[in-house]
Amino acid sequence: MSEPSSNFVRQIVSDDLREGRCTTVVTRFPPEPNGYLHIGHAKAICLGFGIAAEFGGRCHLRMDDTNPEKEDVSYVRAIQEDIRWLGFDWGEHLHHASDWFERLFDWAKLLIRTGKAYVDEQTEEQIRTNRGTVETPGVPSPWRNRPASESLDLFDAMNRGDFPDGAMVLRAKIDMGHPNMKMRDPLMYRIRNVPHHHAGDRWRVYPFYDWAHGQSDALEGITHSLCTLEFDNNRELYDWFLDQLPPDELPSRPHQYEFARLNLAYTVMSKRLLHALVREGHVDGWDDPRMPTIAGYRRRGYTPASIRDFVERVGVSKAANTVDPALLDACLREDLDATAPRVMVVLDPLPVTLDGAESRVLDAPSWPHDAPREGSRPVPFGPEVLIERADFEVEPPPGFKRLAPGRVVRLRHAGLVRYVSHELGPDGAVARVRCEVVGDEQKPSATLHWVCAADAVDVRVNVYDRLFLDPAPGQERDFRDDLNPASLRVVTAKAEPSVLAAALGSHLQFERVGFFYVEPERSTSGRPVFNRVVPLKDARARSAETPVEAPEEVERTKTVRTLTEVGRGLVARGLSEDQAQVLQDDASLRAWFDQATATGAEPSAVAGYVVTELPRLAREHGGLGALRFGGGELGALAELVGSGRITSTIAKQVLAILATEGGSPAAIVEERGLAPIDDRDALAALVAEVLADAPDKVAAWRGGRTGLHGFFVGQVMQRTGGRADAVVVRELVTAALTP
């Protein structure tokens, strides 16, 4: 398990254990099964399950199923699948709020008998109007002082089905002038004459969230009730309800703690709006790869590790903020860069005839030369190849470095070619380019990817982009007006033949284009369908009309980014423009970068830690000056990762230790036993152990639920603390699952 970053929730739990306020930490994740989980829920899942695991406790999964009109068993199944895919499990602790309906009903009667609840016959509109405002007190209901016996009889009649929906409600009797609006005689029960997906047709009254929530926590023995900040005002009511009940009937007295929810730019996470997207056909269901649902991210090709890493980097605090999705994409790139083999695929082909070229088969490496792994694939080459149309310009604009009249370029893995001529088609567009093969003494202006025209295979590629164009959809107008009409473009691309062997659910990097995922739901053996998960670089200023970001988008971005001379120098050293922008604007971070690269570490590797990890550590530990290490140690850490001695996951653990204890990265790895696990026999035994612990999931996988493959890999990686080679683990899991 990764060394956890510090946050106020972790400190509260640690203090409670140390001071004896609890002996076993019990948390819960309580989703309402009225839709699919979204990326915001991922933060709550990682926090609840992560805190419990760190302190040797447990985390329950509880379905907050108090509204049968909007809930469905299909949502229950989807929620469970999402949590398992993220790498977490609740074991035997699957609960439902509806499991406690009988107890809640009896307790509601207790409050009626003690004069703390009453049946109100006002309409919903009257109740809303009479609640008052933050500046004026509410108006008591005319039914507020009705006799307890009368309210008891009516409450039983409500549950028998004697009244239609909305005829009356049960309310707590607290204080209609209370400054906290939640305490102004809150609603406890409403009539819904419909059966329940889990509880059957026993009930005609259903509890509201505020009445069911705290009591469910208490009955399950929850010690730390973690929820987002919008429930801050509910805490007083949460405690009031618990105070009204006999202490000997409550197995525990939980406490509620609030943290800031995860807000993501260019995204909507309101269940109401997500329902509308699905219902109105703007997307292809809840798991559409453009949706911010966990199922959507999974189907698009995001990895559980990248989402967990993203949540960790965002951190846990009470300060609300909106996160740029570029951070999530950066986490995914980092995860896939070391695991996705490279291939060449052309999305918008332009034919190029090569004078002097002969047909042959190249042995092209599947991994970059600095990757700690070996492997290659055969790539046909011949006298006619296809390149990206955006890689050629008859009249190149300023800054264009690719093929043009008078230019020499390198064809990836194949050698140098020089422009000779070009032909125009009937529409006036370039139809063909002619080049000649030249020797290596020439200096190329760029390197292009390509495929051999004679051997190219057609593959379907889904090019996904953000679903919304505005960073705050719906804030200024109807959210539908902010939809991106180019959020999906289906392309028939030309690919090297090796891509046909790509396994379902695997990832590939299309060189110079991006990371792609073989979607199991649409692919068949030998006929892969690729989803673009993320381009190789973030391009904030891309045009919605531009179908393919790479390589055109990178250079277009350079023309609109305001890089200073310092920033341009950083780009020349291999940094992305986003990284250069951060470092040119922050002298303190740039000083760390300079110190780290002075050790000889690769600048692009160091930049990832300086730009993303250092600010997070500074926030958690009170500033950069509070960290117990410096740029030299950061450079040494980057060297360990670059040489393959440790993985990026282990590097995060080392960073967490450096932040509080200092020391040498290499010494920490050795002393803490953090070296990567590369013993295939040991990993195979661990894979067997994981599969043996989950026979139902193994059976489900063999029955067609191939998405569980990621769950098995995640369990192995979790048990090794991220020290195993994920590629090797995937291979071993596949081998173990295949009869």
Side-chain angles (χ1 to χ4, degrees), residues 331-412:
C331 294
L332 180 64
R333 292 187 190 98
E334 184 176 319
D335 186 33
L336 294 181
D337 189 57
T339 60
R342 276 56 168 170
V343 296
M344 292 191 292
V345 178
V346 174
L347 303 187
D348 188 15
L350 174 65
V352 179
T353 300
L354 302 176
D355 293 341
E358 296 181 356
S359 296
R360 54 196 172 102
V361 177
L362 307 175
D363 185 37
S366 297
W367 308 96
H369 296 300
D370 58 350
R373 63 185 75 244
E374 298 178 353
S376 61
R377 81 279 184 189
V379 176
F381 177 73
E384 182 172 305
V385 298
L386 304 171
I387 67 171
E388 293 287 358
R389 186 168 295 277
D391 278 342
F392 176 75
E393 286 285 353
V394 177
E395 298 179 358
F400 186 84
K401 298 182 182 299
R402 300 183 295 280
L403 185 59
R407 297 269 183 91
V408 173
V409 297
R410 182 182 300 280
L411 296 182
R412 183 80 164 142

Side-chain angles (χ1 to χ4, degrees), residues 12 98 145 149 152 273 300 361 421 426 428 452 459 482 515 532 543 587 609 627 640 683 714 720:
I12 288 171
S98 56
N145 295 315
S149 58
L152 282 171
L273 300 185
R300 182 158 170 173
V361 177
S421 63
C452 180
V459 293
D482 292 324
F515 291 101
R532 189 187 69 173
S543 165
Y609 292 106
L627 301 180
L640 289 177
L683 289 175
T720 62

Side-chain angles (χ1 to χ4, degrees), residues 155-211:
F155 191 46
D156 282 330
M158 289 163 61
N159 193 47
R160 284 196 304 268
D162 293 354
F163 303 106
D165 291 6
M168 53 191 68
V169 295
L170 182 69
R171 298 177 70 176
K173 185 189 293 186
I174 305 179
D175 182 358
M176 289 302 292
H178 201 287
N180 183 349
M181 300 284 288
K182 292 288 183 180
M183 303 295 286
R184 296 184 182 180
D185 289 12
L187 306 183
M188 294 173 61
Y189 278 89
R190 76 286 214 189
I191 301 171
R192 291 292 183 270
N193 288 290
V194 295
H196 190 280
H197 69 87
H198 181 69
D201 57 3
R202 162 74 175 81
W203 302 98
R204 290 296 179 270
V205 292
Y206 291 95
F208 282 91
Y209 168 87
D210 282 321
W211 170 242

Side-chain angles (χ1 to χ4, degrees), residues 87-109:
F88 303 104
D89 205 323
W90 51 91
E92 62 184 13
H93 294 287
L94 171 62
H95 303 286
H96 299 74
S98 56
D99 294 337
W100 309 116
F101 276 3
E102 195 78 49
R103 184 75 66 88
L104 291 170
F105 189 76
D106 290 342
W107 278 339
K109 286 187 170 184

